[in-house]
PDB file of all heavy atoms in Angstrom:
ATOM      1  N   GLU A   5      -6.348  51.756 -23.481  1.00 89.00           N
ATOM      2  CA  GLU A   5      -5.350  50.877 -24.131  1.00 89.00           C
ATOM      3  C   GLU A   5      -3.863  51.220 -23.844  1.00 89.00           C
ATOM      4  O   GLU A   5      -3.101  50.325 -23.666  1.00 89.00           O
ATOM      5  CB  GLU A   5      -5.573  50.845 -25.683  1.00 89.00           C
ATOM      6  CG  GLU A   5      -4.859  49.840 -26.473  1.00 89.00           C
ATOM      7  CD  GLU A   5      -5.270  49.722 -27.841  1.00 89.00           C
ATOM      8  OE1 GLU A   5      -6.284  50.391 -28.128  1.00 89.00           O
ATOM      9  OE2 GLU A   5      -4.626  49.102 -28.617  1.00 89.00           O
ATOM     10  N   ARG A   6      -3.660  52.545 -23.727  1.00 87.00           N
ATOM     11  CA  ARG A   6      -2.233  52.934 -23.532  1.00 87.00           C
ATOM     12  C   ARG A   6      -1.686  52.492 -22.151  1.00 87.00           C
ATOM     13  O   ARG A   6      -0.499  52.536 -22.003  1.00 87.00           O
ATOM     14  CB  ARG A   6      -2.047  54.424 -23.723  1.00 87.00           C
ATOM     15  CG  ARG A   6      -2.781  55.391 -22.680  1.00 87.00           C
ATOM     16  CD  ARG A   6      -2.728  56.751 -23.068  1.00 87.00           C
ATOM     17  NE  ARG A   6      -3.345  57.615 -22.056  1.00 87.00           N
ATOM     18  CZ  ARG A   6      -4.693  57.962 -22.073  1.00 87.00           C
ATOM     19  NH1 ARG A   6      -5.428  57.395 -22.969  1.00 87.00           N
ATOM     20  NH2 ARG A   6      -5.150  58.749 -21.242  1.00 87.00           N
ATOM     21  N   TYR A   7      -2.503  52.188 -21.233  1.00 88.00           N
ATOM     22  CA  TYR A   7      -2.140  51.755 -19.894  1.00 88.00           C
ATOM     23  C   TYR A   7      -2.129  50.326 -19.716  1.00 88.00           C
ATOM     24  O   TYR A   7      -1.632  49.745 -18.780  1.00 88.00           O
ATOM     25  CB  TYR A   7      -3.184  52.371 -18.730  1.00 88.00           C
ATOM     26  CG  TYR A   7      -3.143  53.798 -18.661  1.00 88.00           C
ATOM     27  CD1 TYR A   7      -4.357  54.431 -18.171  1.00 88.00           C
ATOM     28  CD2 TYR A   7      -2.135  54.707 -18.986  1.00 88.00           C
ATOM     29  CE1 TYR A   7      -4.392  55.844 -17.961  1.00 88.00           C
ATOM     30  CE2 TYR A   7      -2.137  55.977 -18.913  1.00 88.00           C
ATOM     31  CZ  TYR A   7      -3.343  56.591 -18.393  1.00 88.00           C
ATOM     32  OH  TYR A   7      -3.450  57.992 -18.228  1.00 88.00           O
ATOM     33  N   GLN A   8      -2.809  49.496 -20.671  1.00 91.00           N
ATOM     34  CA  GLN A   8      -3.041  48.097 -20.372  1.00 91.00           C
ATOM     35  C   GLN A   8      -1.802  47.381 -20.358  1.00 91.00           C
ATOM     36  O   GLN A   8      -1.691  46.442 -19.501  1.00 91.00           O
ATOM     37  CB  GLN A   8      -4.044  47.513 -21.375  1.00 91.00           C
ATOM     38  CG  GLN A   8      -5.431  48.081 -21.197  1.00 91.00           C
ATOM     39  CD  GLN A   8      -6.430  47.386 -22.092  1.00 91.00           C
ATOM     40  OE1 GLN A   8      -6.108  46.253 -22.670  1.00 91.00           O
ATOM     41  NE2 GLN A   8      -7.566  48.018 -22.381  1.00 91.00           N
ATOM     42  N   ALA A   9      -0.781  47.585 -21.208  1.00 89.00           N
ATOM     43  CA  ALA A   9       0.337  46.708 -21.194  1.00 89.00           C
ATOM     44  C   ALA A   9       1.212  46.796 -19.970  1.00 89.00           C
ATOM     45  O   ALA A   9       1.556  45.851 -19.347  1.00 89.00           O
ATOM     46  CB  ALA A   9       1.264  47.130 -22.420  1.00 89.00           C
ATOM     47  N   THR A  10       1.299  48.058 -19.433  1.00 88.00           N
ATOM     48  CA  THR A  10       2.006  48.251 -18.127  1.00 88.00           C
ATOM     49  C   THR A  10       1.204  47.567 -16.978  1.00 88.00           C
ATOM     50  O   THR A  10       1.763  46.970 -16.099  1.00 88.00           O
ATOM     51  CB  THR A  10       2.164  49.669 -17.888  1.00 88.00           C
ATOM     52  OG1 THR A  10       3.016  50.359 -18.905  1.00 88.00           O
ATOM     53  CG2 THR A  10       2.999  49.900 -16.527  1.00 88.00           C
ATOM     54  N   ALA A  11      -0.171  47.815 -17.000  1.00 92.00           N
ATOM     55  CA  ALA A  11      -0.980  47.238 -15.925  1.00 92.00           C
ATOM     56  C   ALA A  11      -0.926  45.760 -15.940  1.00 92.00           C
ATOM     57  O   ALA A  11      -0.708  45.084 -14.813  1.00 92.00           O
ATOM     58  CB  ALA A  11      -2.403  47.705 -16.089  1.00 92.00           C
ATOM     59  N   LYS A  12      -0.879  45.079 -17.088  1.00 94.00           N
ATOM     60  CA  LYS A  12      -0.839  43.591 -17.198  1.00 94.00           C
ATOM     61  C   LYS A  12       0.558  43.194 -16.586  1.00 94.00           C
ATOM     62  O   LYS A  12       0.718  42.100 -16.038  1.00 94.00           O
ATOM     63  CB  LYS A  12      -1.095  43.163 -18.459  1.00 94.00           C
ATOM     64  CG  LYS A  12      -2.524  43.288 -18.975  1.00 94.00           C
ATOM     65  CD  LYS A  12      -2.648  42.911 -20.456  1.00 94.00           C
ATOM     66  CE  LYS A  12      -4.147  43.088 -20.784  1.00 94.00           C
ATOM     67  NZ  LYS A  12      -4.291  42.742 -22.240  1.00 94.00           N
ATOM     68  N   LYS A  13       1.550  43.977 -16.791  1.00 94.00           N
ATOM     69  CA  LYS A  13       2.895  43.641 -16.238  1.00 94.00           C
ATOM     70  C   LYS A  13       2.920  43.665 -14.758  1.00 94.00           C
ATOM     71  O   LYS A  13       3.693  42.845 -14.100  1.00 94.00           O
ATOM     72  CB  LYS A  13       3.882  44.734 -16.754  1.00 94.00           C
ATOM     73  CG  LYS A  13       5.321  44.448 -16.429  1.00 94.00           C
ATOM     74  CD  LYS A  13       6.300  45.375 -17.193  1.00 94.00           C
ATOM     75  CE  LYS A  13       5.997  46.814 -16.745  1.00 94.00           C
ATOM     76  NZ  LYS A  13       7.136  47.710 -17.377  1.00 94.00           N
ATOM     77  N   TYR A  14       2.047  44.490 -14.176  1.00 95.00           N
ATOM     78  CA  TYR A  14       1.978  44.523 -12.682  1.00 95.00           C
ATOM     79  C   TYR A  14       1.105  43.541 -12.006  1.00 95.00           C
ATOM     80  O   TYR A  14       1.080  43.332 -10.808  1.00 95.00           O
ATOM     81  CB  TYR A  14       1.522  45.957 -12.253  1.00 95.00           C
ATOM     82  CG  TYR A  14       2.460  47.093 -12.532  1.00 95.00           C
ATOM     83  CD1 TYR A  14       1.870  48.443 -12.685  1.00 95.00           C
ATOM     84  CD2 TYR A  14       3.775  46.922 -12.711  1.00 95.00           C
ATOM     85  CE1 TYR A  14       2.697  49.497 -12.925  1.00 95.00           C
ATOM     86  CE2 TYR A  14       4.599  47.989 -13.034  1.00 95.00           C
ATOM     87  CZ  TYR A  14       4.103  49.374 -13.103  1.00 95.00           C
ATOM     88  OH  TYR A  14       4.890  50.372 -13.398  1.00 95.00           O
ATOM     89  N   THR A  15       0.238  42.803 -12.757  1.00 96.00           N
ATOM     90  CA  THR A  15      -0.726  41.988 -12.184  1.00 96.00           C
ATOM     91  C   THR A  15      -0.225  40.819 -11.293  1.00 96.00           C
ATOM     92  O   THR A  15      -0.814  40.451 -10.242  1.00 96.00           O
ATOM     93  CB  THR A  15      -1.629  41.332 -13.256  1.00 96.00           C
ATOM     94  OG1 THR A  15      -0.930  40.713 -14.329  1.00 96.00           O
ATOM     95  CG2 THR A  15      -2.589  42.422 -13.877  1.00 96.00           C
ATOM     96  N   PRO A  16       0.944  40.194 -11.759  1.00 97.00           N
ATOM     97  CA  PRO A  16       1.476  39.163 -10.788  1.00 97.00           C
ATOM     98  C   PRO A  16       1.769  39.668  -9.441  1.00 97.00           C
ATOM     99  O   PRO A  16       1.479  39.020  -8.377  1.00 97.00           O
ATOM    100  CB  PRO A  16       2.641  38.638 -11.487  1.00 97.00           C
ATOM    101  CG  PRO A  16       2.468  38.910 -12.872  1.00 97.00           C
ATOM    102  CD  PRO A  16       1.762  40.172 -12.903  1.00 97.00           C
ATOM    103  N   PHE A  17       2.312  40.925  -9.324  1.00 97.00           N
ATOM    104  CA  PHE A  17       2.582  41.518  -7.990  1.00 97.00           C
ATOM    105  C   PHE A  17       1.238  41.755  -7.286  1.00 97.00           C
ATOM    106  O   PHE A  17       1.090  41.360  -6.064  1.00 97.00           O
ATOM    107  CB  PHE A  17       3.293  42.820  -8.148  1.00 97.00           C
ATOM    108  CG  PHE A  17       3.347  43.636  -6.928  1.00 97.00           C
ATOM    109  CD1 PHE A  17       4.423  43.377  -6.029  1.00 97.00           C
ATOM    110  CD2 PHE A  17       2.468  44.668  -6.585  1.00 97.00           C
ATOM    111  CE1 PHE A  17       4.401  44.081  -4.705  1.00 97.00           C
ATOM    112  CE2 PHE A  17       2.547  45.345  -5.369  1.00 97.00           C
ATOM    113  CZ  PHE A  17       3.519  45.144  -4.525  1.00 97.00           C
ATOM    114  N   PHE A  18       0.361  42.281  -7.904  1.00 97.00           N
ATOM    115  CA  PHE A  18      -0.951  42.648  -7.208  1.00 97.00           C
ATOM    116  C   PHE A  18      -1.791  41.509  -6.908  1.00 97.00           C
ATOM    117  O   PHE A  18      -2.622  41.513  -5.975  1.00 97.00           O
ATOM    118  CB  PHE A  18      -1.822  43.732  -8.002  1.00 97.00           C
ATOM    119  CG  PHE A  18      -1.255  45.075  -7.872  1.00 97.00           C
ATOM    120  CD1 PHE A  18      -0.516  45.742  -8.885  1.00 97.00           C
ATOM    121  CD2 PHE A  18      -1.569  45.814  -6.722  1.00 97.00           C
ATOM    122  CE1 PHE A  18       0.060  46.974  -8.712  1.00 97.00           C
ATOM    123  CE2 PHE A  18      -1.072  47.158  -6.577  1.00 97.00           C
ATOM    124  CZ  PHE A  18      -0.224  47.780  -7.469  1.00 97.00           C
ATOM    125  N   GLU A  19      -1.597  40.330  -7.537  1.00 97.00           N
ATOM    126  CA  GLU A  19      -2.354  39.124  -7.208  1.00 97.00           C
ATOM    127  C   GLU A  19      -1.913  38.691  -5.829  1.00 97.00           C
ATOM    128  O   GLU A  19      -2.740  38.162  -5.045  1.00 97.00           O
ATOM    129  CB  GLU A  19      -2.133  38.083  -8.242  1.00 97.00           C
ATOM    130  CG  GLU A  19      -2.835  38.214  -9.528  1.00 97.00           C
ATOM    131  CD  GLU A  19      -4.232  37.911  -9.484  1.00 97.00           C
ATOM    132  OE1 GLU A  19      -4.784  37.494  -8.383  1.00 97.00           O
ATOM    133  OE2 GLU A  19      -5.034  38.319 -10.421  1.00 97.00           O
ATOM    134  N   ILE A  20      -0.591  38.991  -5.503  1.00 97.00           N
ATOM    135  CA  ILE A  20      -0.197  38.549  -4.073  1.00 97.00           C
ATOM    136  C   ILE A  20      -0.433  39.691  -3.058  1.00 97.00           C
ATOM    137  O   ILE A  20      -0.937  39.451  -2.094  1.00 97.00           O
ATOM    138  CB  ILE A  20       1.361  38.180  -4.151  1.00 97.00           C
ATOM    139  CG1 ILE A  20       1.642  37.243  -5.242  1.00 97.00           C
ATOM    140  CG2 ILE A  20       1.782  37.877  -2.886  1.00 97.00           C
ATOM    141  CD1 ILE A  20       0.943  35.847  -5.078  1.00 97.00           C
ATOM    142  N   PHE A  21      -0.131  40.887  -3.653  1.00 98.00           N
ATOM    143  CA  PHE A  21      -0.208  42.097  -2.631  1.00 98.00           C
ATOM    144  C   PHE A  21      -1.580  42.240  -2.172  1.00 98.00           C
ATOM    145  O   PHE A  21      -1.815  42.679  -0.988  1.00 98.00           O
ATOM    146  CB  PHE A  21       0.323  43.321  -3.429  1.00 98.00           C
ATOM    147  CG  PHE A  21       0.232  44.474  -2.537  1.00 98.00           C
ATOM    148  CD1 PHE A  21       1.194  44.673  -1.556  1.00 98.00           C
ATOM    149  CD2 PHE A  21      -0.734  45.552  -2.739  1.00 98.00           C
ATOM    150  CE1 PHE A  21       1.156  45.829  -0.786  1.00 98.00           C
ATOM    151  CE2 PHE A  21      -0.814  46.696  -1.940  1.00 98.00           C
ATOM    152  CZ  PHE A  21       0.258  46.719  -0.910  1.00 98.00           C
ATOM    153  N   LYS A  22      -2.660  41.998  -2.913  1.00 97.00           N
ATOM    154  CA  LYS A  22      -4.042  42.276  -2.496  1.00 97.00           C
ATOM    155  C   LYS A  22      -4.333  41.533  -1.151  1.00 97.00           C
ATOM    156  O   LYS A  22      -5.238  41.841  -0.331  1.00 97.00           O
ATOM    157  CB  LYS A  22      -5.085  41.960  -3.563  1.00 97.00           C
ATOM    158  CG  LYS A  22      -5.126  40.508  -3.954  1.00 97.00           C
ATOM    159  CD  LYS A  22      -6.088  40.258  -5.109  1.00 97.00           C
ATOM    160  CE  LYS A  22      -6.252  38.725  -5.373  1.00 97.00           C
ATOM    161  NZ  LYS A  22      -7.203  38.561  -6.566  1.00 97.00           N
ATOM    162  N   ASN A  23      -3.666  40.395  -0.991  1.00 96.00           N
ATOM    163  CA  ASN A  23      -3.838  39.554   0.230  1.00 96.00           C
ATOM    164  C   ASN A  23      -2.917  39.773   1.333  1.00 96.00           C
ATOM    165  O   ASN A  23      -2.990  39.315   2.464  1.00 96.00           O
ATOM    166  CB  ASN A  23      -3.764  38.099  -0.159  1.00 96.00           C
ATOM    167  CG  ASN A  23      -4.949  37.718  -1.172  1.00 96.00           C
ATOM    168  OD1 ASN A  23      -6.051  38.142  -0.950  1.00 96.00           O
ATOM    169  ND2 ASN A  23      -4.504  36.979  -2.142  1.00 96.00           N
ATOM    170  N   VAL A  24      -1.897  40.575   0.992  1.00 96.00           N
ATOM    171  CA  VAL A  24      -0.815  40.962   2.024  1.00 96.00           C
ATOM    172  C   VAL A  24      -0.955  42.340   2.524  1.00 96.00           C
ATOM    173  O   VAL A  24      -0.489  42.747   3.639  1.00 96.00           O
ATOM    174  CB  VAL A  24       0.520  40.711   1.503  1.00 96.00           C
ATOM    175  CG1 VAL A  24       1.692  40.974   2.492  1.00 96.00           C
ATOM    176  CG2 VAL A  24       0.724  39.204   0.995  1.00 96.00           C
ATOM    177  N   ARG A  25      -1.575  43.138   1.827  1.00 95.00           N
ATOM    178  CA  ARG A  25      -1.662  44.645   1.894  1.00 95.00           C
ATOM    179  C   ARG A  25      -1.952  45.060   3.291  1.00 95.00           C
ATOM    180  O   ARG A  25      -2.559  44.377   4.118  1.00 95.00           O
ATOM    181  CB  ARG A  25      -2.654  45.287   0.927  1.00 95.00           C
ATOM    182  CG  ARG A  25      -4.062  44.618   1.171  1.00 95.00           C
ATOM    183  CD  ARG A  25      -5.174  45.579   0.680  1.00 95.00           C
ATOM    184  NE  ARG A  25      -5.256  46.647   1.520  1.00 95.00           N
ATOM    185  CZ  ARG A  25      -5.985  47.878   1.204  1.00 95.00           C
ATOM    186  NH1 ARG A  25      -6.501  47.975   0.171  1.00 95.00           N
ATOM    187  NH2 ARG A  25      -5.930  48.759   2.235  1.00 95.00           N
ATOM    188  N   GLY A  26      -1.499  46.331   3.681  1.00 91.00           N
ATOM    189  CA  GLY A  26      -1.794  46.889   4.893  1.00 91.00           C
ATOM    190  C   GLY A  26      -3.154  47.421   5.147  1.00 91.00           C
ATOM    191  O   GLY A  26      -3.946  47.426   4.148  1.00 91.00           O
ATOM    192  N   LYS A  27      -3.443  47.975   6.290  1.00 97.00           N
ATOM    193  CA  LYS A  27      -4.711  48.588   6.598  1.00 97.00           C
ATOM    194  C   LYS A  27      -5.026  49.814   5.753  1.00 97.00           C
ATOM    195  O   LYS A  27      -6.122  50.127   5.316  1.00 97.00           O
ATOM    196  CB  LYS A  27      -4.853  48.904   8.057  1.00 97.00           C
ATOM    197  CG  LYS A  27      -4.821  47.752   9.011  1.00 97.00           C
ATOM    198  CD  LYS A  27      -5.057  48.167  10.417  1.00 97.00           C
ATOM    199  CE  LYS A  27      -5.122  46.991  11.285  1.00 97.00           C
ATOM    200  NZ  LYS A  27      -5.250  47.282  12.675  1.00 97.00           N
ATOM    201  N   ILE A  28      -3.938  50.481   5.354  1.00 98.00           N
ATOM    202  CA  ILE A  28      -3.947  51.594   4.492  1.00 98.00           C
ATOM    203  C   ILE A  28      -2.974  51.541   3.418  1.00 98.00           C
ATOM    204  O   ILE A  28      -1.646  51.282   3.830  1.00 98.00           O
ATOM    205  CB  ILE A  28      -3.836  52.987   5.181  1.00 98.00           C
ATOM    206  CG1 ILE A  28      -5.123  53.321   6.064  1.00 98.00           C
ATOM    207  CG2 ILE A  28      -3.756  54.141   4.157  1.00 98.00           C
ATOM    208  CD1 ILE A  28      -6.475  53.545   5.313  1.00 98.00           C
ATOM    209  N   VAL A  29      -3.120  51.609   2.143  1.00 98.00           N
ATOM    210  CA  VAL A  29      -2.234  51.658   1.137  1.00 98.00           C
ATOM    211  C   VAL A  29      -2.336  52.906   0.324  1.00 98.00           C
ATOM    212  O   VAL A  29      -3.477  53.233  -0.076  1.00 98.00           O
ATOM    213  CB  VAL A  29      -2.399  50.388   0.235  1.00 98.00           C
ATOM    214  CG1 VAL A  29      -1.302  50.404  -0.835  1.00 98.00           C
ATOM    215  CG2 VAL A  29      -2.302  49.122   0.962  1.00 98.00           C
ATOM    216  N   THR A  30      -1.211  53.573   0.176  1.00 98.00           N
ATOM    217  CA  THR A  30      -1.210  54.845  -0.578  1.00 98.00           C
ATOM    218  C   THR A  30      -0.520  54.669  -1.941  1.00 98.00           C
ATOM    219  O   THR A  30       0.295  53.823  -2.077  1.00 98.00           O
ATOM    220  CB  THR A  30      -0.569  55.960   0.213  1.00 98.00           C
ATOM    221  OG1 THR A  30       0.809  55.632   0.412  1.00 98.00           O
ATOM    222  CG2 THR A  30      -1.191  56.147   1.624  1.00 98.00           C
ATOM    223  N   GLY A  31      -0.806  55.613  -2.871  1.00 97.00           N
ATOM    224  CA  GLY A  31      -0.191  55.371  -4.136  1.00 97.00           C
ATOM    225  C   GLY A  31       0.054  56.879  -4.784  1.00 97.00           C
ATOM    226  O   GLY A  31      -0.327  57.929  -4.168  1.00 97.00           O
ATOM    227  N   ASP A  32       0.624  56.815  -5.999  1.00 94.00           N
ATOM    228  CA  ASP A  32       0.842  58.049  -6.790  1.00 94.00           C
ATOM    229  C   ASP A  32      -0.323  57.991  -8.019  1.00 94.00           C
ATOM    230  O   ASP A  32      -0.766  56.987  -8.290  1.00 94.00           O
ATOM    231  CB  ASP A  32       2.204  58.045  -7.475  1.00 94.00           C
ATOM    232  CG  ASP A  32       3.313  58.105  -6.394  1.00 94.00           C
ATOM    233  OD1 ASP A  32       3.018  58.329  -5.181  1.00 94.00           O
ATOM    234  OD2 ASP A  32       4.429  57.811  -6.836  1.00 94.00           O
ATOM    235  N   THR A  33      -0.465  59.153  -8.470  1.00 89.00           N
ATOM    236  CA  THR A  33      -1.340  59.191  -9.656  1.00 89.00           C
ATOM    237  C   THR A  33      -0.552  58.579 -10.866  1.00 89.00           C
ATOM    238  O   THR A  33       0.194  59.312 -11.610  1.00 89.00           O
ATOM    239  CB  THR A  33      -1.791  60.682 -10.060  1.00 89.00           C
ATOM    240  OG1 THR A  33      -2.535  61.043  -8.925  1.00 89.00           O
ATOM    241  CG2 THR A  33      -2.714  60.649 -11.201  1.00 89.00           C
ATOM    242  N   SER A  34      -0.668  57.303 -10.988  1.00 87.00           N
ATOM    243  CA  SER A  34       0.146  56.586 -11.971  1.00 87.00           C
ATOM    244  C   SER A  34      -0.629  55.300 -12.366  1.00 87.00           C
ATOM    245  O   SER A  34      -1.666  55.002 -11.826  1.00 87.00           O
ATOM    246  CB  SER A  34       1.557  56.290 -11.498  1.00 87.00           C
ATOM    247  OG  SER A  34       1.541  55.501 -10.404  1.00 87.00           O
ATOM    248  N   ILE A  35       0.007  54.555 -13.316  1.00 90.00           N
ATOM    249  CA  ILE A  35      -0.657  53.344 -13.819  1.00 90.00           C
ATOM    250  C   ILE A  35      -0.885  52.312 -12.586  1.00 90.00           C
ATOM    251  O   ILE A  35      -1.857  51.661 -12.488  1.00 90.00           O
ATOM    252  CB  ILE A  35       0.067  52.714 -14.898  1.00 90.00           C
ATOM    253  CG1 ILE A  35       0.080  53.638 -16.127  1.00 90.00           C
ATOM    254  CG2 ILE A  35      -0.562  51.349 -15.318  1.00 90.00           C
ATOM    255  CD1 ILE A  35       1.005  53.220 -17.311  1.00 90.00           C
ATOM    256  N   SER A  36       0.231  52.223 -11.694  1.00 93.00           N
ATOM    257  CA  SER A  36       0.020  51.274 -10.636  1.00 93.00           C
ATOM    258  C   SER A  36      -1.175  51.520  -9.731  1.00 93.00           C
ATOM    259  O   SER A  36      -1.726  50.628  -9.194  1.00 93.00           O
ATOM    260  CB  SER A  36       1.319  51.262  -9.787  1.00 93.00           C
ATOM    261  OG  SER A  36       1.588  52.508  -9.261  1.00 93.00           O
ATOM    262  N   SER A  37      -1.513  52.794  -9.617  1.00 95.00           N
ATOM    263  CA  SER A  37      -2.567  53.166  -8.772  1.00 95.00           C
ATOM    264  C   SER A  37      -4.012  52.821  -9.350  1.00 95.00           C
ATOM    265  O   SER A  37      -5.052  52.848  -8.621  1.00 95.00           O
ATOM    266  CB  SER A  37      -2.620  54.600  -8.315  1.00 95.00           C
ATOM    267  OG  SER A  37      -1.540  54.892  -7.475  1.00 95.00           O
ATOM    268  N   SER A  38      -4.087  52.379 -10.635  1.00 95.00           N
ATOM    269  CA  SER A  38      -5.205  51.773 -11.199  1.00 95.00           C
ATOM    270  C   SER A  38      -5.766  50.571 -10.439  1.00 95.00           C
ATOM    271  O   SER A  38      -6.876  50.264 -10.463  1.00 95.00           O
ATOM    272  CB  SER A  38      -5.035  51.497 -12.661  1.00 95.00           C
ATOM    273  OG  SER A  38      -4.649  52.551 -13.340  1.00 95.00           O
ATOM    274  N   PHE A  39      -4.800  50.001  -9.652  1.00 97.00           N
ATOM    275  CA  PHE A  39      -5.127  48.700  -8.899  1.00 97.00           C
ATOM    276  C   PHE A  39      -5.886  49.131  -7.651  1.00 97.00           C
ATOM    277  O   PHE A  39      -6.225  48.147  -6.843  1.00 97.00           O
ATOM    278  CB  PHE A  39      -3.867  47.949  -8.630  1.00 97.00           C
ATOM    279  CG  PHE A  39      -3.402  47.135  -9.820  1.00 97.00           C
ATOM    280  CD1 PHE A  39      -2.592  47.872 -10.773  1.00 97.00           C
ATOM    281  CD2 PHE A  39      -3.755  45.929 -10.171  1.00 97.00           C
ATOM    282  CE1 PHE A  39      -2.017  47.235 -11.985  1.00 97.00           C
ATOM    283  CE2 PHE A  39      -3.223  45.351 -11.242  1.00 97.00           C
ATOM    284  CZ  PHE A  39      -2.396  45.916 -12.176  1.00 97.00           C
ATOM    285  N   CYS A  40      -6.321  50.386  -7.533  1.00 97.00           N
ATOM    286  CA  CYS A  40      -7.409  50.664  -6.392  1.00 97.00           C
ATOM    287  C   CYS A  40      -8.672  50.085  -6.918  1.00 97.00           C
ATOM    288  O   CYS A  40      -9.561  50.014  -5.979  1.00 97.00           O
ATOM    289  CB  CYS A  40      -7.418  52.188  -6.323  1.00 97.00           C
ATOM    290  SG  CYS A  40      -8.108  53.046  -7.793  1.00 97.00           S
ATOM    291  N   MET A  41      -8.845  49.832  -8.091  1.00 97.00           N
ATOM    292  CA  MET A  41     -10.117  49.476  -8.753  1.00 97.00           C
ATOM    293  C   MET A  41     -10.227  47.915  -8.620  1.00 97.00           C
ATOM    294  O   MET A  41      -9.337  47.158  -8.309  1.00 97.00           O
ATOM    295  CB  MET A  41     -10.179  49.856 -10.153  1.00 97.00           C
ATOM    296  CG  MET A  41      -9.981  51.317 -10.296  1.00 97.00           C
ATOM    297  SD  MET A  41     -10.010  51.745 -12.180  1.00 97.00           S
ATOM    298  CE  MET A  41      -9.018  53.369 -12.060  1.00 97.00           C
ATOM    299  N   PRO A  42     -11.528  47.383  -8.897  1.00 97.00           N
ATOM    300  CA  PRO A  42     -11.744  45.914  -8.809  1.00 97.00           C
ATOM    301  C   PRO A  42     -11.015  45.209  -9.934  1.00 97.00           C
ATOM    302  O   PRO A  42     -10.726  46.008 -10.908  1.00 97.00           O
ATOM    303  CB  PRO A  42     -13.245  45.784  -9.044  1.00 97.00           C
ATOM    304  CG  PRO A  42     -13.796  47.196  -8.673  1.00 97.00           C
ATOM    305  CD  PRO A  42     -12.752  48.179  -8.993  1.00 97.00           C
TER     306      PRO A  42
END
């Protein structure tokens, strides 16, 4: 629950990014990297 508000804030970006993303995408151990998941 403590991550959900921030993750929901990022969803508009990732809705677009998932179709533009490169062959390899790297991240940090942070809330944004939760978008490695389905």
Side-chain angles (χ1 to χ4, degrees):
E5 187 174 350
R6 65 185 183 277
Y7 295 156
Q8 288 187 20
T10 300
K12 288 177 181 177
K13 184 171 66 174
Y14 292 158
T15 52
F17 170 82
F18 280 101
E19 285 289 348
I20 306 299
F21 181 74
K22 68 182 181 182
N23 297 315
V24 179
R25 53 155 293 164
K27 293 181 179 179
I28 293 290
V29 180
T30 64
D32 300 346
T33 300
S34 62
I35 297 173
S36 62
S37 287
S38 300
F39 287 84
C40 70
M41 305 175 204

